[in-house]
Every structure is written in structure tokens, then in C-alpha cells.
Amino acid sequence: MSSGAEFGGVIAAAVVGTAGIALGAGWMLWSAGKLVVDANRAIDEDIRRTKELQRLEQEQRRAMALRGRQQLEQLCRSQRQALSTARPGESDADRREREELCRELDRILAEEPSADSRMLESRNAMHLNQVERLLSRYEGGRARRSRVAAGDQALTEKLECLRTAFAAARLEETRGEDAAAPDPAVLERAELNRRLIPLGARVNQALGLLAEFERDFGLSEANRAWYHSCFDGVDREIALLCDPQTDNTRLKTGLRRLEEILRQAEMLLPEVQKEMDRFAALYPVYRQAAQALLADVQPPRAFDTADALEREMKRLQQREKQAEKCRRIYEKLGQAGYLCYAWDQELRAMGYQVYDRDAVRRMAESRPVYASPEGKKLPFYQWDPETMTQFYQVESGCSLQLVVHPDGTTTMQTITEGDEDRAVQTQKKHCAALAALRQRLRDNWFISYDQKETAPPELLLSTAAWRGSRDNAWRGQEETGIRENRPEEKGKERKAK
């Protein structure tokens, strides 16, 4: 803050323009109770979600194939580790056989997973067959005594799970046309996968919709509590069901849980979607109106429901009525007159007393003339051909000059006499009040100001120094412009008549 300040001002669009244009057509429709959700938006949203669901199904299928690939790689690494160490009594032939198997496993591990789900499923099945042949060859060859874990029960179970999962994936691709896959477990797994892929995609889509609403607009406390109680841990559940090591019994149990989660979600999602559509229709209307009324624009997440947003919009309707009163004043006085009037009202409200014309004449040693912008006489003085000024008493010994420029900017300067310490304290008190003054101009008159300090409160300017300053537009003038008639001159005019 300072004893000198410059303010860059902007008058709200709701005051200087037509309310319907400034606030927007949406605001007019909402005020009349006729704002509706855009039907085209709902259609576009349905199309977008259908495409998104197709994408999610592809991602779900790839997630299953990728999880199978990860399991296969774990198997290859464990066997690679088992084969990497020489065994007691190992012959050169056994060693060469073991090293060759290690290289084969390394080649499998080095292959990058395909981005195409079907190709990945095919490569998984091929590599599993290759691993089984390698282990069978090693176990049945000359290195039988090295005792790799090919016959270990845990490994056998892992191989069986992978075999079933990969065969089911291939059977899913052929839609049951592969007559060479009569295994009931494989058939059952393929059928479970047909349920899991679209189910997992729909659950993920529901999660995405709720997360989208939470990110963009926010959820009510009730909906947020439901969201967490229903969906917490569901991503881990889906990942587990995609794991080839999950047997068919566990997969059936998990699918029933996902179906129940989805059933609950699809009961709530229409209401959440309705709320989202309503919020999406209201928020741009609110934002434009708030900007036009110079109200603080709250982010979407500040409102947990569309009802909360509408309550804020109804509060803005009261501000709209106030803006209409200001607009009528603006139309009557014009921009310059409106700015002068607003500043004058707020400075008086702060307790500052406006100087009468005689006091200004004595202070300036010049005869000021009232300004008449656009032919409308104002209780402000013409400072120079384009600007207007007024003088106020802040406290005894401290005056304030306010200058209003045609571009809407405003400057002010304190002028002091008497005790310097007291003058500095008065100027500091004045500077401390400027933030509240700017806020009142915004709240009451829809004028937004940015403040720039031009002189610190410790810098004192005496009346004599102000009078002789180069910034004083009245310097060296006994009169400014066309003087106002004095009482004795008015008497002569009456006698002449």
C-alpha cells in the first residue's frame, strides 16, 4: 500500500452491456425455468461409451493374455535358475544339454509381448508347448539324474493351469469350432472367459464414469460412501480373475461378485449420469453469469451436487438485480460519471469528507470547474481536458486527491500538512483501507481494480509541493476552463434581466 496508488479498472459486463448478452442465453433460459439438458450431448455420450466399451473389452482380453505371459515368464525364469547350476557327477553331454535348454528359455524370455491380443494368446500357447517339450526332453534324456523339477507337483499344477487357460483362450477365438479341444475344464474356462471379458469391461467403465464425475464435478458424500463400499478392491479382484493360476471354481465365485457389483452400479449410475448431465448443463451458465457479475467463479468441485450449484446461481440472481440498478446509473451518467459516482459513494462511506468548491480553490489557488462529460454536469472537477478529479479530507491535516481517467484507470494521492509522524500514521491507515475499498467497489458497483503502488506511506507531500508539482494540471493557472458563476455575478445577471 502507499500514499500514492494507481488502479486499473474494469466495469462488469452486466453493467455496461445488455444483461441478456452479458449473462448469456443459458442464464435467461435457466432464470425462466426453461434450461434443458442437451439431447445431442446425451446421444454423443452414448456413442462414445459404446466405443469405449469395445475398447475396454479389448483391453480386458489383452490383460488376460498378458497375465498369462507373465506367468509363463515366471515359469521360464524358475526353470532357467534350476538349470543354471551344474549338478554333481554331470557329464559333458549333460552340461551341453543343460546349456542348450537355458539358451532356449532365454530366447522365449527375450521376446516382447505382442500388442495384439490374439497374437499374444497364440504366442503364449506356442511358447508353453515349447517349454513343456524342453522339460520333457531334459527329464527323459541323459541328464535324468540331475533331477530338475519337471515332475514336481507344484510345477505340474502350474503347467496344467497355464495349459487350460491358453487352450481356453484359443477356443474363445474359434468360438467353440475347435473340435480338438474336448477337455471339459477347457470348455468351462472358455465359457467363464466369455463372461469375464465383457463383465470386467463394464465394471471398469462404471469405475471410469464415477471417477470422471468425481474428477470433474465431485460426488455427494452419500454417493462417495457408496462408491467406496462397492468398488474398493474391485481392480485387484479383476486382476486375480485374469490370472491363469485362478481355478475355475474361484473364477465362478469372482464372476458372481462382479455381477453383483455391476448390478448395484447400474442401479445408481443412471441417477449419477442424470446428475452429471444436469451439472454439465448448469456449470457453463453459472460460470458466464458469475464472470459477467464480477463474482468469484468457484471450480466445479466446490459443489458436491447440482442442487448446491443452483443455490449459488440463485444467490447470483440477487446480485443480478443489484447490477440492474447500477446499469441504470451507468446509462444516465456514462462511464466516467459512473466511476466518479461509485468512488465518491465509497469514499464517503469510509468517512472521508468531500471538500466544497471554496476549500478546493483555496487549496489549489485556482478556480476549478465542474466536469461535464457527455454534457452531464458532475460533482467532480475537470483536471485536464480528459480527466476529472475530486478532493477529500481523510483526517485533519491529510487530504486525498482522486483522479479518474477516461480509460477507467484511477489514481489517488494523499497531501499532508502538520506533524509528520501523525501524517505518516494517517497515510498508513489510509493505505491499509484500500483493499477493503477495492472489494466494496467490486461488490457494490461491479468495478474490478488492480492496484499498483506509486509512493510509499512514509513519503509525505505537502500542499505547497503538490501545488507546484509538474503533475499538477492546474499549476500556474488562476482559473481552469470556464469558471462557475459566483453569487455576485449571478446577482448582476438578475438585475440585467
Side-chain angles (χ1 to χ4, degrees), residues 1-7 343 350 352 400 412-414 423-439 449-460:
M1 301 305 173
S2 71
S3 60
E6 178 179 303
F7 302 85
W343 275 94
M350 289 174 63
Y352 293 8
L400 173 71
M412 60 171 55
Q413 175 68 61
T414 50
V424 169
Q425 294 306 314
T426 299
Q427 289 191 160
K428 287 183 176 179
K429 181 180 176 182
H430 161 73
C431 295
L434 293 184
L437 174 60
R438 292 202 321 274
Q439 190 62 46
Y449 280 106
D450 294 324
Q451 181 179 326
K452 178 183 178 182
E453 183 181 85
T454 58
E458 293 79 12
L459 181 64
L460 300 178

Side-chain angles (χ1 to χ4, degrees), residues 200-312:
R202 288 167 64 192
V203 169
N204 281 324
Q205 185 179 55
L207 274 169
L209 289 173
L210 289 166
E212 179 182 318
F213 188 79
E214 172 70 5
R215 181 193 68 236
D216 295 340
F217 306 120
L219 289 172
S220 67
E221 288 298 325
N223 284 343
R224 188 177 295 109
W226 172 87
Y227 171 86
H228 287 293
S229 67
C230 187
F231 285 102
D232 276 357
V234 72
D235 52 344
R236 294 189 297 273
E237 178 74 11
I238 292 175
L240 177 63
L241 299 182
C242 291
D243 193 324
Q245 302 302 317
T246 300
D247 61 32
N248 289 357
T249 300
R250 175 66 182 84
L251 183 54
K252 284 186 283 189
T253 302
L255 285 172
R256 285 193 294 269
R257 169 169 159 70
L258 287 185
E259 287 167 345
E260 177 59 23
I261 289 173
L262 188 62
R263 185 187 67 80
Q264 293 183 37
E266 290 181 342
M267 289 174 58
L268 179 68
L269 276 174
E271 289 301 315
V272 173
Q273 184 59 57
K274 183 179 178 181
E275 179 87 352
M276 183 186 298
D277 291 341
R278 182 174 161 223
F279 201 109
L282 287 172
Y283 188 78
V285 174
Y286 153 75
R287 182 178 58 237
Q288 181 175 350
Q291 290 171 342
L293 292 166
L294 282 188
D296 292 332
V297 179
Q298 301 295 329
R301 291 182 60 81
F303 310 100
D304 62 353
T305 64
D307 286 341
L309 175 56
E310 285 213 79
R311 286 194 294 271
E312 178 62 15

Side-chain angles (χ1 to χ4, degrees), residues 353-355 360 363-364 381 383 389-393 399-402 415 466 474:
Q353 297 179 4
V354 66
Y355 285 148
V360 175
M363 177 181 174
Y381 304 106
W383 181 238
T389 190
Q390 185 56 282
F391 296 84
Y392 300 85
Q393 183 185 61
S399 302
L400 173 71
Q401 182 189 16
L402 177 73
I415 306 165
W466 168 80
W474 293 346

Side-chain angles (χ1 to χ4, degrees), residues 12-15 18-31 35 281-298 309-310 312-321 323 442 446:
V15 171
T18 304
I21 296 175
L23 298 174
W27 179 265
M28 299 296 106
L29 290 171
W30 173 78
S31 298
L35 183 68
L282 287 172
Y283 188 78
V285 174
Y286 153 75
R287 182 178 58 237
Q288 181 175 350
Q291 290 171 342
L293 292 166
L294 282 188
D296 292 332
V297 179
Q298 301 295 329
L309 175 56
E310 285 213 79
E312 178 62 15
M313 294 171 73
K314 289 176 181 176
R315 189 188 70 79
L316 282 180
Q317 284 183 314
Q318 300 304 311
R319 187 160 173 78
E320 179 189 7
K321 294 177 182 177
R442 184 186 182 100
F446 301 88

Side-chain angles (χ1 to χ4, degrees), residues 24-88:
W27 179 265
M28 299 296 106
L29 290 171
W30 173 78
S31 298
K34 297 179 180 179
L35 183 68
V36 296
V37 175
D38 185 0
N40 290 331
R41 180 185 181 278
I43 294 172
D44 291 343
E45 188 66 14
D46 286 342
I47 294 172
R48 182 184 74 84
R49 289 180 185 172
T50 298
K51 292 180 179 179
E52 180 189 41
L53 190 59
Q54 293 172 349
R55 177 183 63 79
L56 289 172
E57 287 187 5
Q58 290 299 318
E59 289 182 358
Q60 185 66 52
R61 181 166 185 169
R62 175 168 166 73
M64 294 175 64
L66 194 58
R67 185 57 180 160
R69 168 70 187 186
Q70 292 168 350
Q71 292 283 332
L72 180 61
E73 288 178 353
Q74 290 176 8
L75 175 64
C76 290
R77 289 191 186 95
S78 65
Q79 293 308 300
R80 176 68 174 77
Q81 185 177 6
L83 292 167
S84 62
T85 305
R87 303 292 176 166

